[in-house]
Amino acid sequence: MERAPLLELQGVRKRFGKHEVLQGINLEVYPGEILALLGPSGCGKTTLLRVIAGLEGPDAGRVLLEGREITHLPPERRGIGFVFQDYALFPHLTALGNVAFGLKGEDRWERAKRALERVGMTLFQDRKPGELSGGQQQRVALARALAPGPRLVLLDEPFSSLDAGLRAATREEVRKVLKEAGTTALLVTHDQEEALSFADRLGVMRGGRLLQVGTPEEVYLRPKTPFVAQFLGRTNLLPGEGKGRWAETCLGPVPLAEPAFGPLLLSLRPEALKLQPPGEGPQGEVVAREFKGHDLTYRIRLLSAPERELLVQESPAAPYRTGDRVGLKVVGEGVALEGPTPRAPVGTD
């Protein structure tokens, strides 16, 4: 028996002047899951979050929460928590005061204390935002969103103001808190690593449209369009001729994740290629190398098609240097993408 979605968007549209920033968004978010909306700046993801929260009204479409339409309800009647990008904490209130603000009932202070305890901020409850680090402020903002007991929490780029070292640890803590509370969450971000590591499912947006939704593994390994393939990590885009379970390309035969026939454009991730000694497989020349500690990415110019360069991901111990001749070997699968196949060579990242 299929689960009923907690949140459902049906054909949501939003226009500012002549610009339609949301173009018929359909989306389902299920109880207890964390879903991330990923896309470049200006793609409409924050506007969509504001429509769900009731801070913006849609021009068309419906918003349903637990099967009940909330499209035109004011924000305070929706029962949805919101963590803003800048946290929006009151500077004159303590952490406890910020969490208790807006709560009703004689037990509101106890509920605020429990929310701070849940995010590990009990020891800092008497400090004001200016006395807290960015990560601590972020946790207070999360506690404030969770204190009323919402079924859904919206997070708008909540980790963007944190430095790189703190960002990963805070993401892990926040995910743990949400999962332990059983709270459904919808996150918007432009950070690919954040979406892949934080979310149970993710959706990729572009130009007001939702292009693809799936688990991080599904969207990364089976992108549907060139934009999704490139936005969710580096890839090689290769034209080819589908022959069923494989495609003929400038690298020779490439196995396909799904059968395809005729002219196509395929995505081949850098980790799906490996380097070999010269003389083995298609030949290339190393034109650049990018050492990142945990791996090493090479840019290889294909000798049979000098206008084409390919990305290859190797272990950090790979011995090849700029100018070396190398062979190429396909060790993974390509994915046939939707859309027209370009006649000219396609860039790789």
Side-chain angles (χ1 to χ4, degrees):
M1 186 173 180
E2 293 187 2
R3 294 183 299 165
L6 178 77
L7 173 72
E8 187 174 2
L9 307 179
Q10 300 177 349
V12 172
R13 294 181 177 272
K14 180 64 180 178
R15 179 183 297 275
F16 292 114
K18 295 182 179 180
H19 181 48
E20 192 174 28
V21 295
L22 297 176
Q23 302 183 35
I25 300 293
N26 296 299
L27 180 66
E28 294 178 346
V29 184
Y30 293 91
E33 82 167 339
I34 298 173
L35 189 143
L37 290 176
L38 177 69
S41 297
C43 71
K45 56 188 186 296
T46 294
T47 299
L48 184 60
L49 216 61
R50 292 176 64 83
V51 167
I52 295 167
L55 301 175
E56 299 282 356
D59 296 319
R62 305 170 73 211
V63 181
L64 294 92
L65 187 67
E66 296 183 304
R68 180 172 68 102
E69 183 167 358
I70 61 170
T71 312
H72 302 295
L73 282 182
E76 64 272 14
R77 293 183 56 194
R78 297 192 178 206
I80 295 175
F82 203 126
V83 179
F84 295 89
Q85 185 173 352
D86 61 359
Y87 311 140
L89 299 177
F90 297 109
H92 63 288
L93 296 180
T94 64
L96 183 61
N98 268 281
V99 177
F101 185 86
L103 295 179
K104 297 179 180 179
E106 294 181 358
D107 65 341
R108 70 190 190 101
W109 292 104
E110 288 303 317
R111 290 159 61 198
K113 288 179 180 179
R114 287 197 298 270
L116 282 175
E117 182 180 5
R118 180 178 288 169
V119 300
M121 286 295 291
T122 302
L123 294 177
F124 304 93
Q125 67 178 25
D126 295 324
R127 295 190 185 182
K128 294 181 178 179
E131 301 171 309
L132 300 173
S133 69
Q136 290 168 337
Q137 291 182 42
Q138 198 274 344
R139 284 188 279 171
V140 172
L142 179 62
R144 184 176 62 182
L146 293 175
R151 295 295 308 278
L152 174 66
V153 170
L154 309 177
L155 303 105
D156 184 12
E157 304 267 10
F159 312 111
S160 60
S161 62
L162 304 178
D163 62 61
L166 185 60
R167 195 177 302 144
T170 304
R171 279 201 307 258
E172 187 175 339
E173 292 172 359
V174 170
R175 177 178 168 82
K176 181 180 179 182
V177 168
L178 291 170
K179 286 300 182 181
E180 288 178 348
T183 303
T184 306
L186 181 59
L187 163 86
V188 301
T189 181
H190 64 271
D191 187 312
Q192 296 93 332
E193 180 182 343
E194 185 170 293
L196 289 168
S197 63
F198 190 80
D200 301 314
R201 288 193 302 144
L202 62 85
V204 180
M205 292 186 66
R206 184 188 190 191
R209 297 183 182 276
L210 189 58
L211 301 182
Q212 186 173 350
V213 180
T215 66
E217 294 84 358
E218 288 170 348
V219 181
Y220 181 82
L221 296 174
R222 301 288 188 272
K224 291 184 177 180
T225 70
F227 177 83
V228 172
Q230 291 177 302
F231 194 78
L232 211 61
R234 289 176 158 183
T235 195
N236 299 294
L237 299 182
L238 301 175
E241 184 76 20
K243 305 289 185 178
R245 293 296 312 192
W246 61 279
E248 187 61 52
T249 73
C250 57
L251 293 174
V254 173
L256 294 177
E258 299 290 341
F261 296 88
L264 54 77
L265 180 67
L266 63 84
S267 168
L268 190 66
R269 296 291 185 189
E271 58 268 26
L273 290 170
K274 292 299 177 186
L275 299 183
Q276 304 181 102
E280 299 181 22
Q283 299 298 289
E285 178 185 352
V286 177
V287 296
R289 61 193 298 275
E290 183 181 355
F291 182 74
K292 292 174 285 186
H294 50 77
D295 61 47
L296 203 166
T297 301
Y298 288 95
R299 187 177 292 272
I300 308 297
R301 179 181 295 119
L302 201 60
L303 296 186
S304 61
E307 73 282 0
R308 182 172 299 283
E309 294 182 353
L310 302 172
L311 295 175
V312 181
Q313 185 172 305
E314 283 281 356
S315 76
Y320 305 105
R321 298 285 173 177
T322 302
D324 287 353
R325 294 291 179 92
V326 293
L328 290 161
K329 182 180 181 181
V330 178
V331 295
E333 295 179 324
V335 178
L337 303 173
E338 297 175 356
T341 302
R343 298 178 182 178
V346 180
T348 55
D349 64 11

